[in-house]
Every structure is written in C-alpha cells, then in structure tokens.
C-alpha cells in the first residue's frame, strides 16, 4: 500500500468534506465520512441500482477488508468476523462461552454500556459475579481506573474473564492493555477488549497485548458508517466459543444450500450467520485503507500533538483536565470541566455560533479531534471557549 502523508490530507476538504462546514471534534461519538468512504457508498448504490450482483465482486472486496482489518490489529484474516456493532462482538463472547456459578468477570466501573449489559446479563443468568473496578480521582483532578486494582481483580482465582475498553469513553483514559493482557495470559484468564475508542487512532496489537477477543464498530476512529464492525477471536479459542447465531454462511459448505451439513467454518467467519452489511463494510474498507496508508503510528503521533496543544490551551484558560495524559495513557479524547460556565451552554454556543462540535459526556466536556484536523482548528476552538 502506498504511503500517504498527513500533510496532503489534513485540513484538505477534498479528502474530508466536513472541513468546509464544521470544526468537528467529536470522533469519539460518530465520525464524519472521508470522501473515499462516501464514494464507496455512492459506488455501491450506483452499481446495485444498475446491475445488482451481476458485476459486483463485493464479497471478494470484503475478503480484502478482512485482510486490512487483520493488519490493523496484527491478527490473521481468519481471526476476523464482521459484526453489526461493538455489542454484538461482546455478546458473541459473553453468550458463546460456558459459565459456572461462582466465576467472576472483571471490568471497569465506567465502561460504555455495550461492555456492561452483556456481562450483567451473564451474571444474572449464570450466578457469575461481575466485579466493576471504580474510577478514582487524583489530586490534580485526573480520573483513572487504577491499573493495580484491575490487575489484583484479574488475579483473583475465580476470575474467568476481564472485559475492558482500550480507551474509556468519558475520561479518555487509555488502559494498559499489555499489562492486563500479560497477567491474564499468565493466569489463564480470558481477555476481551472493546476497542471502538482506539482502533484507527492508536496502535492495537492483539498479539503483543495478549488479547483473546476484541470488538469495535467502525463509526468512530475508523471513520466508517454505523453498523459495520470488526470482531476478533484468537484462533485457538474458536472451539470453545460457540457461535450465538448460526445460518447459511456459518458452515463450510455455504452455497450448497440443499445439502445440509452443519459443520461450522474453521475460521472466524463462523460468527457471521448470513448476509452482511455490504455497503457499510465497503465504506469501512475504504477508510481502513486510508488509515493504513497514512500509518497508525503517524496518526497517533498527530493526535498526540493536537490533543497536547488542546490540553495546554485549556489549562491556560482555566479549564480542569479530567483525562489522564501521561505517555502510556493519553488518547484522542480530552475531557475537561469548567467551574464557571455551564457545560450545556458551552456546547450549544459552540455549535450554534461557531459551527464547532464537541460533546458532553458524564458531566464533562469532551473533545475528540482526528488526525486530519489542524492546529489552526484547535486554536480556533480555544479562542471560542470563554476564559475563567
Ligand atoms: C467504549 C464504547 N464502546 C462501544 C460503543 C458503541 O457500541 P455499539 O457499537 O454496540 O453501539 C461506544 C460509543 O458509542 C463506546 O464509547
């Protein structure tokens, strides 16, 4: 894949049309589409309108997506399944494993609900204990789920599985997956990661981080439409993870319709039970290829610089930063609070008067730029925010 320089893409509305209309800093919610992804949707519509499946080759393209998605997280294509959202991948794990009364599931107390309710459901139905490690506030106001607490709970003899976001949606804390994964693997605990707030923004490596299962929809840092997501299952674990839903495409002789042979595929495609969200996945393919052409290390370095400038400017204006920002814990999310201004009014004022978009989450202001945003946009945001 050819290398694409950030300098050619950043601030360039012909690649990112949103730049002409909004200063958009809410990629941690639903991202705008880059032109390549919107083109993929337009091409799909035009092609399906005129020829249906006759000259399509869509499913071949989806195999290329499987390979790109695998490259993005250092998995193999055989370990990637397409899902309709993050929760579907997490539910595949929660419901596909056998549970015994008394086993424990460890998670953080501040996870997005997609990574809580599937486990609450298992706890209620199987007599499993759900342990939620709470967030703590340090003297300087930064909020974190403490790594030591997570490791101690993961280490507990009854713990079967740890379910954790790579990046927490409200604080922006990037959890130390390598540390949690290493402990899980050495103690025989399973490790399931919600990567929707990190995949496409910072490096994710399922091998070095010892991740067993990972799920992420495409609509945030992967710059894709909603409803087209990725699920990773470590190859060795497939025999113990029973597919939740089965259908025509779960089996080895998919296509030989009348010859019923319920032998599951040997790879992660066994977790896909039928027709896929082809248009959404084609757009996801275009966006992932764009991100890979830029390079995730370069994307991360750029995000570090943009969010660093934002953090410094906010502190100067008297805002309190909630996000931990150390070398191993920063992310594309900067959460902050004001002691003087009403948060809702600030979000509304930015949107209505300045066409500038940030979010309000869990009582905090949340700003999440992507690599194609510019330092000038960050400076404009800072100018528009009132001081203290
Ligand atoms: C950490 C996290 N997980 C998951 C999701 C989305 O879940 P789903 O793809 O199931 O809608 C979000 C945001 O919407 C999120 O912030």
């Amino acid at each position: 894949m050819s290398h694409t320089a950030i300098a050619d893409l950043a601030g360039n509305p012909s690649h990112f049309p949103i730049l002409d209309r909004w200063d958009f800093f809410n990629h941690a919610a639903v991202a705008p589409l880059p032109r390549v992804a919107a083109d993929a949707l337009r091409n799909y519509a035009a092609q399906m309108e005129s020829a249906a499946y006759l000259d399509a080759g869509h499913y071949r393209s989806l195999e290329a997506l499987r390979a790109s998605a695998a490259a993005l997280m250092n998995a193999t294509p055989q370990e990637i399944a397409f899902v309709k959202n993050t929760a579907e991948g997490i539910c595949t794990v929660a419901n596909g494993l056998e549970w015994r009364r008394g086993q424990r599931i460890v998670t953080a107390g501040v996870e997005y609900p997609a990574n809580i309710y599937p486990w609450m459901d298992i706890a209620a139905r199987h007599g499993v204990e759900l342990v939620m490690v709470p967030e703590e506030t340090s003297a300087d106001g930064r909020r974190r789920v403490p790594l030591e607490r997570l490791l101690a709970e993961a280490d507990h003899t009854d713990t079967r599985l740890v379910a954790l976001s790579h990046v927490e949606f409200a604080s922006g804390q990037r959890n130390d997956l390598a540390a949690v994964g290493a402990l899980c693997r050495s103690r025989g605990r399973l490790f399931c990661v919600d990567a929707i707030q990190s995949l496409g923004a910072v490096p994710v490596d399922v091998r070095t981080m010892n991740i067993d299962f990972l799920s992420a929809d495409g609509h945030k840092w992967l710059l894709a439409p909603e409803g087209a997501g990725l699920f990773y299952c470590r190859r060795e674990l497939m025999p113990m993870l029973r597919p939740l839903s089965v259908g025509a495409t779960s089996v080895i002789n998919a296509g030989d319709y009348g010859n019923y042979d319920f032998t599951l595929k040997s790879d992660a495609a066994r977790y896909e039970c039928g027709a896929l969200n082809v248009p959404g996945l084609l757009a996801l393919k275009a966006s992932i290829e764009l991100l890979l052409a830029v390079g995730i290390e370069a994307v991360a370095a750029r995000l570090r610089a943009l969010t660093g400038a934002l953090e410094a400017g906010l502190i100067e204006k008297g805002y309190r930063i909630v996000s931990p920002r150390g070398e191993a814990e920063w992310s594309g999310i900067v959460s902050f609070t004001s002691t003087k201004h009403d948060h809702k009014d600030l979000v509304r004022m930015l949107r209505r008067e300045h066409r500038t978009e940030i979010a309000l989450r869990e009582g905090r202001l949340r700003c999440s730029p992507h690599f194609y945003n510019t330092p000038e946009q960050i400076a404009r945001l800072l100018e528009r925010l009132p001081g203290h």
Side-chain angles (χ1 to χ4, degrees), residues 92-283:
T92 299
V93 179
N95 293 292
L97 295 170
E98 300 272 347
W99 295 97
R100 274 199 326 272
R101 177 167 292 280
Q103 289 178 322
R104 301 164 97 237
I105 296 166
V106 173
T107 188
V110 289
E111 292 285 309
Y112 186 79
N115 194 32
I116 292 292
Y117 296 141
W119 309 115
M120 283 188 168
D121 183 38
I122 293 299
R125 285 191 290 123
H126 298 280
V128 165
E129 186 190 355
L130 180 61
V131 179
M132 297 166 72
V133 177
E135 194 174 63
E136 293 178 4
T137 311
S138 59
D140 63 354
R142 311 288 170 139
R143 296 182 67 97
R144 313 179 163 76
V145 180
L147 177 63
E148 322 76 64
R149 280 286 314 277
L150 280 171
L151 294 177
E153 297 295 354
D155 200 20
H156 189 289
T157 42
D158 293 330
T159 298
R160 169 109 195 273
L161 182 140
V162 176
L164 192 64
S165 282
H166 192 181
V167 169
E168 299 295 347
F169 80 103
S171 71
Q173 175 189 9
R174 175 157 49 98
N175 285 302
D176 187 344
L177 295 192
V180 178
L183 183 121
C184 285
R185 190 62 57 87
S186 72
R187 300 287 197 277
R189 319 288 185 245
L190 295 168
F191 188 27
C192 179
V193 172
D194 174 345
I196 195 171
Q197 293 291 7
S198 65
L199 203 60
V202 293
V204 175
D205 186 321
V206 294
R207 299 269 172 264
T208 60
M209 291 170 165
N210 286 305
I211 296 170
D212 293 317
F213 312 105
L214 177 149
S215 190
D217 196 48
H219 65 266
K220 302 185 191 287
W221 304 92
L222 291 175
L223 301 171
E226 292 168 277
L230 304 172
F231 171 61
Y232 154 82
C233 175
R234 183 155 68 87
R235 177 174 267 293
E236 293 80 356
L237 300 176
M238 281 177 214
M240 72 189 249
L241 189 70
R242 197 173 59 81
L244 275 189
S245 318
V246 292
T249 63
S250 316
V251 299
I252 48 172
N253 71 347
D256 189 2
Y257 303 131
N259 178 19
Y260 307 128
D261 173 4
F262 184 46
T263 307
L264 290 170
K265 284 177 178 160
S266 62
D267 60 18
R270 60 170 50 190
Y271 303 111
E272 298 162 2
C273 66
L276 294 167
N277 172 8
V278 174
L281 290 168
L282 292 174

Side-chain angles (χ1 to χ4, degrees), residues 312-319 341 381-388:
L314 287 170
I315 291 171
E316 203 165 295
K317 296 199 85 155
Y319 291 90
H341 307 289
L381 167 63
L382 288 166
E383 268 165 37
R384 291 163 184 168
L385 283 168
H388 285 71

